[in-house]
Amino acid sequence: MTETWILLGAASSMARAMARQLAGEGANLVLAGRDMADLEAQATDLALRGAASAKAARFDARDAATFASIIEAAETLAGEGPINCAVFVGSMPPQEAIDADPSLIDGTVTDSFTGPARFLQMLAPKLEAKGKGLVIGVGSVAGDRGRIGNYVYGAAKSGIATYLSGLRNRLGRSGVHVMTVKPGFVDTAMTWDVEGMFLVASPAQVAAHMLKKGRKGRNVLYTPFFWRYIMAIIRSVPEPIFKKLSV
Amino acid sequence: MSWKKHSWAGWGRVQSATGELARPERSAALAPLATEAPAIGNCRSYGDAALVSEGRAITMTRLDKILLFDEADGVIHVEAGATIADLARILAPKGFLPAVMPGTGFATIGGCIAMDVHGKNHHGAGSFGQHVTEITLASGKVLTPDDPLFKATVGGLGQTGPIASAKLKLLRAKVDVMMVTERRAETLESFLDRLDESEATYTVGWIDATATGEALGRGILEEGETGAGLVPPAKRGRKVPFNAPGWALAAPVVRLFNKLYYGRVPAAGRTLVKPIDDFFFPLDRIHDWNKLYGKKGFHQFQCVVPVTARGTLRSMLEAIATSGLASPLAVLKRMGPGRAGHLSFPMEGYTLAVDFRNRTGTRGLISELIAEAKAAGGRIYFAKDSVARAEDIPGMYPELAEWAEAVNAGDPEHHYETDLTKRLSLRSAK
């Protein structure tokens, strides 16, 4: 049966890569984000690449009024078929900018945590009613530990990871699977000019990995896989030592 | 937009640059950069055409969407960062192909325009730019073929500024596979005769650049036609994991390889069915094949000479064969007159392309070949060159001054200059 996917934050490079793969599989795609010109262009492109349908929809994590119509659009496209959702939204102002203007915390937490969480909370009953479906939520390795360089972003990502864990617990009871993804360094706009990047993965690799493991029922996915070990080490550093590190 | 300090190399890996790159992910991020720097694509130019040392360049590879496909008119509107292979893959099942495809599918649409590339069907279909019906620059300016700036942009080495998107007139063809006929040509004369006589839509000749004496200029003529039928399963690309050692392409190894390669086609010729990619982009299956030349990299020499200059080809091949520097990658092809820009490479004649290991004597040999091409009334290809000097160019490209005037008017502060345009002082031409 044709899958219907909602991609939240569809203009991000990881979402674009996932959309291309899903188009190749012939899925219905709802591309939700803020840059409507880009999303409309993507919709045309994805339809030519094999998507059963592709539709641009406005999503603003800071404007909950945009949420309901996205869910309705997906329901119309899906009919009796499953609805899946992948969440790529988030924002990461430089920590120095937040230090200078603490009000930036509100937007960061809304973009990366409470906005998408509220959207998923609205979607959850629909998925429960269908009794099937897959939710892929993108957290970050930054959420595993509060680090000096980006602890506000990290805190928001930690929040969404805990939320996803709870949502998994809830939706698993009705046959809907929720996977939390923690990407390491991925070659996106966010990491483009950051120094000290290593073993950077392409968005296409990461997207393919997410789909494959999500469909197999993985609960938490580090991608590329070795980040699981890197983060295991980082998590195991005792706090008295960790607080002195600048990793 | 953030700029990242980066070092990158041309495909031949002899020349490299350290500068700053921006990589817009969406078209909204491209417009503000339009006047800042030249655009680069997948850096498949062999020399320094895509290099900007101590300057800035815009990497276009993430802007690769198809914006519109008009099946009735056979026109596609596509962002500049899309690759030719990507387009071919999407279009072939719909009964279309890009009208002109260069030898690598990794070339971007922007790059194909900036080099006015040609394909194995140049004698019939002309150059890439002849099938471009509209170019939208990142500045928002829209160029149609009758706009004076169109001729400065097509083949214009990026000097009119980044290209955002272009409309291409497509070839309507039911293509599942390529029917390829391979025939031996035992001497240069018979090779050239066969190229002249060939009536195939697509032709390309592999030439044994190590053969001497009687066998000088021998090779294999490949003639291809598009066909419908069963598609052989796609093979996974292989990667070259490390730099090959120096002896891998030493003269005796190459001579032996070429002998075997020549001998694999039976004397009577043969016809086979090939996947589209294998015929058009034979080297793309091996990712990073440029590493086969080792750390020192390689140069490619490509020239075109008029049909009357058969003697020049002979003398070039003699110099190449005796140098012991040639690799197995050498191509001879007939070109038609088709070209679309002031600095377009094609002209009616024969084009010869040979890869050389980067060793002592390579640059000297290529310099001689450049001089011979020029003396014969031919020219060299900017997408390949890494050796020429500024004084070599003017006679080769009669419209150079006209082009320079047009691009200098649009970019008086020279933001779009690349290492290539500086090395050859192209924009100072009077």
Side-chain angles (χ1 to χ4, degrees), chain A residues 16 20 35 45 192-193, chain B residues 2 4 25-26 64 66:
Chain A
R16 281 199 324 252
R20 289 229 170 142
D35 184 342
D45 177 75
W192 174 246
D193 62 341
Chain B
S2 49
K4 160 171 148 173
E25 299 270 342
R26 289 175 292 142
D64 64 347
I66 298 168

Side-chain angles (χ1 to χ4, degrees), chain B residues 182 184 220 222 259-266 270 274:
Chain B
E182 297 179 332
R184 285 187 192 177
I220 298 166
E222 284 187 43
K259 204 173 161 194
L260 296 171
Y261 191 82
Y262 179 78
R264 111 209 121 88
V265 172
R270 64 175 178 183
K274 285 189 180 184

Side-chain angles (χ1 to χ4, degrees), chain B residues 192 196 303-307 310 313 332-334 349-352:
Chain B
L192 295 172
D196 287 348
C303 70
V304 56
V305 294
V307 277
R310 285 188 173 202
L313 289 174
L332 184 63
K333 225 196 89 57
R334 185 78 156 79
Y350 304 106
T351 177
L352 174 70

Side-chain angles (χ1 to χ4, degrees), chain B residues 138-193:
Chain B
S139 62
K141 202 177 284 176
V142 178
L143 308 175
T144 49
D146 46 15
D147 193 305
L149 211 49
F150 187 89
K151 282 194 142 191
T153 301
V154 175
L157 310 170
Q159 300 304 298
T160 56
I163 295 167
S165 64
K167 284 188 184 164
L168 315 175
K169 184 94 180 124
L170 299 168
L171 174 74
R172 217 178 274 270
K174 183 82 194 96
V175 199
D176 300 318
V177 290
M178 294 298 297
M179 313 292 292
V180 184
T181 303
E182 297 179 332
R183 284 185 294 159
R184 285 187 192 177
E186 288 170 1
T187 64
L188 180 62
E189 286 301 313
S190 67
F191 204 158
L192 295 172
D193 287 342

